[in-house]
Amino acid sequence: MKLYEVGPKPVVNQHGVSFDTTHPDRYPYLSPAIELLETLDFDTEKEEQHLKQPRTEPYRGSALEQKVREVCGDIDGLLRETEERTRALIQELEEKVQRTERLSPDEKRAWLGNIASMREYYLQYIANQTVYRCLLEKLADRFIHSHIASITFPLRNNYGLVLDDLIHIMRDHKPPFDGEIKVEKRDGALVGRFLKMKAKK
């Protein structure tokens, strides 16, 4: 599996391709998710953990791919899931074009051609999304069953965004947990603080 950045979710129509920046590529979040898995001590009885020395450079290329294999294991399964999700998305987009009555045959052809031209982009976008979800699931599994109640982290390298996404994953786990992120001042500097809480019934 090759992992690389492609950019935001594409929006395709008969006029061309634009990009929806409200749905960013998940690639930049892969390395910080792995760093959290590597840095946090899930076996300690300490309730507070600190992410003090983040990597100066994120994992990339073959180093990133190797780390994903170590964490997620079933790469073939992730690849199959990526292919299936991409195929389903493209089929849904193509059916939408065929159902649109206000388009001329030439406009439909142009739209379908634009969808086809973005297949590899969609494939990579969904691959990054699928791997990120796997990393979050693994992080949630370890985090929920640990004694860790809070994590202090630097306000950079996308840690806050990864931990915010982790909150949504934890709510669907068994047992379910909730969380919140705060910004606090410590030793004269602003830091992020992630708090794990039992989900309200």
Side-chain angles (χ1 to χ4, degrees):
M1 173 181 282
K2 293 289 181 188
L3 296 170
Y4 56 88
E5 191 165 3
V6 286
K9 186 177 181 179
V11 179
V12 182
N13 60 29
Q14 69 271 34
H15 305 298
V17 181
S18 59
F19 298 91
D20 183 354
T21 55
T22 64
H23 290 83
D25 182 11
R26 295 298 188 264
Y27 180 85
Y29 308 154
L30 301 183
S31 183
I34 289 169
E35 285 181 62
L36 287 165
L37 279 160
E38 290 181 330
T39 305
L40 297 174
D41 183 357
F42 297 101
D43 299 319
T44 186
E45 294 195 3
K46 291 181 182 176
E47 292 191 350
E48 185 161 3
Q49 297 267 314
H50 304 279
L51 199 65
K52 289 183 178 176
Q53 294 183 320
R55 289 176 59 86
T56 54
E57 290 292 329
Y59 287 116
R60 294 189 176 281
S62 59
L64 174 63
E65 291 154 17
Q66 180 57 38
K67 290 291 180 182
V68 168
R69 285 188 187 91
E70 290 170 9
V71 175
C72 292
D74 185 14
I75 297 299
D76 289 338
L78 291 179
L79 285 172
R80 281 194 301 274
E81 183 182 342
T82 298
E83 287 281 358
E84 287 166 11
R85 288 179 60 199
T86 304
R87 195 162 38 248
L89 173 63
I90 288 174
Q91 183 177 344
E92 180 185 329
L93 293 172
E94 289 173 341
E95 288 172 356
K96 177 184 174 184
V97 173
Q98 298 296 358
R99 286 194 309 267
T100 306
E101 296 178 0
R102 58 183 170 75
L103 295 176
S104 70
D106 284 345
E107 287 176 315
K108 285 188 177 184
R109 257 194 308 277
W111 196 337
L112 291 170
N114 290 334
I115 292 170
S117 72
M118 293 301 290
R119 187 189 181 283
E120 290 304 313
Y121 188 106
Y122 279 122
L123 190 64
Q124 192 61 48
Y125 179 86
I126 292 173
N128 295 344
Q129 203 175 51
T130 304
V131 168
Y132 182 54
R133 176 74 187 214
C134 171
L135 295 174
L136 286 179
E137 292 281 358
K138 298 293 185 182
L139 186 55
D141 286 342
R142 300 212 63 195
F143 187 51
I144 281 173
H145 295 99
S146 74
H147 292 280
I148 301 171
S150 71
I151 302 167
T152 305
F153 59 91
L155 295 175
R156 60 182 190 276
N157 293 19
N158 291 320
Y159 299 120
L161 291 169
V162 171
L163 290 168
D164 187 56
D165 287 338
L166 179 64
I167 291 171
H168 301 289
I169 300 293
M170 291 196 313
R171 288 174 184 154
D172 293 331
H173 260 58
K174 290 185 174 34
F177 275 84
D178 207 340
E180 66 175 340
I181 294 176
K182 296 181 176 182
V183 176
E184 299 179 352
K185 196 167 188 178
R186 294 199 179 187
D187 301 323
L190 291 176
V191 296
R193 188 157 179 250
F194 176 87
L195 300 167
K196 178 177 80 174
M197 302 170 290
K198 287 196 173 178
K200 293 177 183 175
K201 292 183 179 179

